[in-house]
Amino acid sequence: MNVYICTDLEGVCGVFRWEQTREYGTPANVEARRLLMGEVNAAVAGAFDAGAARVVVRDGHNGAKSFLPEELDERAEMIMGLTSRYDDVTKEGFDAAILLGYHAMSHTQGGVLCHTQSSVGWNNYWINDRLAGEIAQSAIMLGAQGIPVVMVTGDDKTCAEARDWLGDGVVTVEVKKGLSREGALMLAPKKARALIREGAREAVANAPVAAPFRPEFPLRIRWQYKDSLVVDRYRGEAEVIDPYTIERLVADPADILAP
Ligand SMILES: [Zn+2]
């Protein structure tokens, strides 16, 4: 059993303000990344508790430079840096994926640091007329490679969004309750890590019966930006819906993020 863990920063316990996630290298950002590493290691431990042979963790937050390498559990491997999400590593064969530290889609009421892809540039994103966020995007891209998402962690809205898209079979670990976009009722980080370890153990143990998320392609994807300049300058195949919005049919799962 090989396990692939995709990470983000906004959904980690103790992370609740943009200062922690947007500004790189500040004390607030380093604190957030240390909290991330604690949750990464908890998920790694849970996966090995369940008998995983190999665990690879992907740094998924802005620029993929958020891990503190020295802190990684030595049984795991990590992917950092600017790579395609369809890098050769996922092709090495994984049986289950965990989405760790994820956040709810754009404009989720009370969703801590909620956004879809870019909290600065993107407004909304739809898949076949259904509002979607990064959980659906990750699940589709992993699913296309035959890898089921077996667990999602983040705030309560993130967990609800995960069950909404992936069904009640997905293990969700709620590490905080969103009170606003920059405020949360949170567990102690140590408690969050204990729940994540237990959740990962259960999720990986049940992975053999989990199904990859595989909606039928082509998908009709709609991107809505915050600045009409993005659409003004766009020269691709997509149809312009309004000054902020473009839409196109996407046939290849690797193309669902970019028009
Ligand atoms: Zn992020």
Side-chain angles (χ1 to χ4, degrees):
M1 172 76 64
N2 293 340
V3 179
Y4 193 81
I5 304 177
C6 296
T7 69
D8 206 348
L9 189 55
E10 288 87 350
V12 169
C13 183
V15 177
F16 60 94
R17 62 197 197 278
W18 295 117
E19 179 195 6
Q20 291 172 294
T21 61
R22 284 181 177 162
E23 293 165 40
Y24 188 73
T26 61
N29 173 253
V30 174
E31 174 201 30
R33 290 157 56 199
R34 189 155 285 127
L35 292 165
L36 166 66
M37 295 312 294
E39 294 196 1
V40 163
N41 286 338
V44 167
F48 281 114
D49 289 345
R54 182 186 188 198
V55 179
V56 174
V57 195
R58 179 185 185 85
D59 184 338
H61 182 65
N62 187 25
K65 54 187 182 180
S66 290
F67 285 174
L68 302 169
E70 185 64 31
E71 294 192 11
L72 183 69
D73 183 316
E74 64 198 59
R75 294 171 293 177
E77 299 155 77
M78 61 184 165
I79 301 167
M80 296 182 72
L82 302 175
T83 63
S84 162
R85 296 190 189 213
Y86 277 81
D87 53 55
D88 289 338
V89 181
T90 46
K91 297 190 184 87
E92 290 174 11
F94 288 88
D95 308 287
I98 292 171
L99 309 183
L100 181 115
Y102 269 52
H103 50 81
M105 70 174 80
S106 282
H107 306 301
T108 300
Q109 190 167 17
V112 181
L113 304 178
C114 63
H115 64 279
T116 300
Q117 288 301 328
S118 167
S119 61
V120 180
W122 285 38
N123 195 13
N124 282 306
Y125 174 92
W126 292 263
I127 298 172
N128 291 348
D129 291 323
R130 181 178 177 189
L131 276 167
E134 295 178 25
I135 295 167
Q137 291 170 333
S138 294
I140 288 170
M141 291 189 291
L142 290 159
Q145 299 173 87
I147 308 169
V149 170
V150 296
M151 173 166 134
V152 179
T153 80
D155 71 1
D156 54 331
K157 282 74 180 173
T158 305
C159 293
E161 186 178 317
R163 289 190 296 270
D164 212 26
W165 280 89
L166 306 177
D168 290 331
V170 67
V171 172
T172 56
V173 177
E174 179 185 316
V175 300
K176 53 192 172 188
K177 284 196 196 308
L179 302 176
S180 76
R181 203 167 177 224
E182 281 196 276
L185 170 64
M186 293 185 274
L187 298 174
K190 288 192 181 92
K191 174 72 175 177
R193 289 172 208 147
L195 294 175
I196 288 169
R197 181 171 184 165
E198 178 54 28
R201 191 199 58 70
E202 177 194 340
V204 171
N206 292 332
V209 297
F213 184 60
R214 280 186 147 141
E216 197 180 322
F217 275 77
L219 297 173
R220 191 156 40 81
I221 309 251
R222 179 176 284 206
W223 291 263
Q224 183 185 65
Y225 301 97
K226 291 184 176 169
D227 186 341
S228 58
L229 185 63
V230 180
V231 175
D232 291 343
R233 298 181 67 188
Y234 177 71
R235 289 291 172 269
E237 306 279 293
E239 179 187 355
V240 175
I241 305 294
D242 65 38
Y244 298 92
T245 313
I246 56 178
E247 179 180 289
R248 77 176 177 94
L249 281 177
V250 174
D252 184 338
D255 293 332
I256 64 167
L257 293 184

